[in-house]
Amino acid sequence: MAAIPRRFLIHTITVEDYLGSTSKGPRYGAPREVRCLVDEQTRAVRTPDGDQVLSTSTAYAGPEEQTAPPLSRVTLPSGRITRVIGTKRRDGGRLGTPNHTEIQLE
């Protein structure tokens, strides 16, 4: 199935993968840029642990985009820094909807 058309991926976010905690605080990987479509809309989502939390924005990227672990640091186009709640692969199968990666953000 087809992916989200590249012309719709009008934003770029910077993702720093969460690598764990140290005695000096969280540790992050090298920053990488991700082309996406950012939707700054508040909605309730579930964490990987099953807790319900509020997401203030969602980034929709191509299906080839690697996932970002929860707690990864993300800089939005506005400059706001937030963290990943969860990442989901969306496969449209035979429905005709585009395959993509959904990154739910705090």
Side-chain angles (χ1 to χ4, degrees):
M1 182 65 355
I4 294 177
R6 192 159 173 81
R7 70 181 178 275
F8 293 143
L9 305 179
I10 59 173
H11 302 114
T12 300
I13 59 174
T14 302
V15 178
E16 298 168 82
D17 290 344
Y18 178 72
L19 301 177
S21 186
T22 70
S23 61
K24 295 181 180 182
R27 188 169 150 245
Y28 299 100
R32 59 187 165 87
E33 290 191 344
V34 175
R35 282 184 61 126
C36 61
L37 174 66
V38 175
D39 178 16
E40 295 198 56
Q41 169 183 250
T42 302
R43 64 185 176 126
V45 299
R46 297 243 179 237
T47 67
D49 295 332
D51 297 327
Q52 185 171 316
V53 297
L54 288 180
S55 168
T56 61
S57 41
T58 305
Y60 299 95
E64 73 287 345
E65 182 55 44
Q66 61 183 308
T67 60
L71 303 179
S72 294
R73 186 166 46 196
V74 174
T75 304
L76 298 175
S78 65
R80 182 170 72 93
I81 297 174
T82 186
R83 292 183 302 167
V84 172
I85 296 169
T87 304
K88 300 181 184 287
R89 298 262 187 206
R90 302 295 192 185
D91 183 347
R94 291 191 273 179
L95 294 175
T97 57
N99 298 335
H100 61 282
T101 300
E102 180 180 315
I103 306 169
Q104 300 164 339
L105 303 166
E106 289 182 346

